[in-house]
Amino acid sequence: MSITREEVLHVARLARLSLPEAEAERLRGQLSALLDYVKQLDRLDTRDVVPTSHATETGTPFRDDVVEPFGDREALLANAPDRKNDFFRVPRIIED
């Protein structure tokens, strides 16, 4: 799949990148080669593959959710760059 120079520059603009002309041309070739490589996946027959299947069987990575008291509140709050009483103070992000 061939990508045009204009498409490379458009993507760069979306990513807020400035590209010199030589860099845009180099990336055009690299992105085209990458998309050609990925295009090979279209040849795979995936009709019988369950969309959420994995190559290996995996168990659940979760543990039981158990409530446990935190022992040292002062040790936790000692990490706060700014605090008020028993709370972390953060900058206001919503204006009235």
Side-chain angles (χ1 to χ4, degrees):
M1 175 175 196
S2 182
I3 292 183
T4 66
R5 179 184 156 281
E6 289 74 26
E7 289 171 322
V8 171
L9 293 175
H10 177 70
V11 171
R13 244 186 333 276
L14 292 174
R16 300 191 187 278
L17 299 173
S18 62
L19 293 178
E21 189 63 35
E23 184 76 6
E25 186 58 33
R26 185 178 66 83
L27 285 174
R28 188 196 65 73
Q30 290 178 346
L31 289 171
S32 293
L34 178 67
L35 290 175
D36 286 340
Y37 184 75
V38 171
K39 185 83 172 149
Q40 294 177 24
L41 296 175
D42 287 342
R43 291 186 268 171
L44 293 176
D45 180 12
T46 59
R47 283 177 289 190
D48 297 327
V49 177
V50 180
T52 58
S53 67
H54 296 277
T56 60
E57 191 60 41
T58 59
T60 178
F62 302 110
R63 59 175 168 73
D64 291 336
D65 192 10
V66 178
V67 177
E68 297 179 7
F70 185 78
D72 190 357
R73 180 178 300 201
E74 280 304 314
L76 177 67
L77 290 168
N79 293 313
D82 189 11
R83 81 183 249 198
K84 181 176 183 179
N85 301 326
D86 288 339
F87 301 98
F88 285 84
R89 286 181 50 124
V90 295
R92 178 183 291 246
I93 59 170
I94 300 175
E95 296 181 17
D96 296 333

